[in-house]
Amino acid sequence: MRRLLPVTDQTRTTEDREWSLDELAEAYAYPQEGPWLRANMVSSLDGAAQHEGRSQPLSSDTDMRIFGTLRALADVVIVGAETVRREGYRPARAREAFAARRAAAGQSPAPAIAVVSASLELDFSAPLFTAPLVPTLLLTGAAAPPDRVRAAEEAGAVVIVAGDGPGVEPERALAALAGRGLTRQLTEGGPRLLGRLVAAGVLDELCLTVSPLLTAGDAQRITGGPSPAVPERFALASVLEEEGFLFTRYTRT
């Protein structure tokens, strides 16, 4: 059974059919005013963000359709270096189903990938750097190793300094992206990066897939690292359900 359950006065129910991409695009449309930072993560029932080191085992076909839709709506996808290495990240692709929508919004054919890395210890021969539709961005600090900066630039990446030390300051990174016109921002983690964004108080929206699986083990949660002084409250904006998977969307109150 598939059900679309917006948190509104009118609940619409659909059964035994696949949600169209247009329906998903409308359900997950960015606000008119930006910049806006959205996170997309998946979690098991017992709080695991990964199984055997990867998020894919917790996912589903519909989760991947939503994953693709969120990417297709974004100007930029922000991801941590460890997640790039662990998940084997590739460039975002242009999708014909969203081409007209992106063109009307003045967006490039595909979102840029922005990798957050202090060390820049990345494989610059990988497709993420050699074959993107739009240049891959690297967000790093002023103390990044100069030889790695040169290697990144020689590979065609755009290096953006967003911190005075070795690491990235979340507010500066997001402002730098917005200054390039990349205001529809999406982060796919991993947990350490998302934890830093939460602690900095810069996350506007969380799209969380709750997978009907119990994994046990000692996997990370969707966020890691230091806690904010006061937990930040988010409001439930919408829920989609399919075969026990809950596709939730929360926005900052």
Side-chain angles (χ1 to χ4, degrees), residues 48-65:
Q50 302 162 345
H51 181 63
E52 296 183 343
R54 300 181 67 238
S55 60
Q56 192 278 332
L58 305 179
S59 186
S60 70
D61 288 345
T62 297
D63 184 45
M64 294 310 298
R65 279 173 63 81

Side-chain angles (χ1 to χ4, degrees), residues 148-160:
R148 298 306 296 168
V149 173
R150 286 193 299 273
E153 292 175 337
E154 289 170 359
V158 176
V159 178
I160 300 173

Side-chain angles (χ1 to χ4, degrees), residues 63-233:
D63 184 45
M64 294 310 298
R65 279 173 63 81
I66 293 173
F67 173 92
T69 298
L70 295 183
R71 278 196 165 197
L73 297 175
D75 296 325
V76 61
V77 178
I78 307 164
V79 63
E82 180 59 25
T83 297
V84 167
R85 291 187 286 261
R86 188 185 299 270
E87 302 276 357
Y89 259 60
R90 298 181 65 85
R93 60 188 179 92
R95 301 184 62 188
E96 182 62 31
F98 293 95
R101 186 182 292 268
R102 290 188 67 87
Q107 295 174 292
S108 59
I113 303 293
V115 183
V116 178
S117 176
S119 68
L120 301 183
E121 287 297 331
L122 296 156
D123 179 6
F124 295 128
S125 68
L128 181 60
F129 300 99
T130 62
L133 281 175
V134 292
T136 294
L137 310 175
L138 287 175
L139 296 164
T140 192
D147 62 322
R148 298 306 296 168
V149 173
R150 286 193 299 273
E153 292 175 337
E154 289 170 359
V158 176
V159 178
I160 300 173
V161 175
D164 294 330
V168 167
E169 298 168 20
E171 299 92 336
R172 285 182 59 178
L174 300 180
L177 294 173
R180 291 173 170 265
L182 306 176
T183 59
R184 302 173 188 90
Q185 300 168 349
L186 170 67
T187 181
E188 295 169 353
R192 284 186 295 178
L193 173 60
L194 184 55
R196 291 176 60 195
L197 297 171
V198 170
V202 296
L203 187 69
D204 298 300
E205 178 180 334
L206 172 64
C207 297
L208 175 65
T209 296
V210 180
S211 175
L213 300 174
L214 292 170
T215 66
D218 57 358
Q220 289 180 293
R221 297 160 48 196
I222 66 167
T223 59
S227 300
V230 178
E232 191 165 15
R233 187 173 182 85

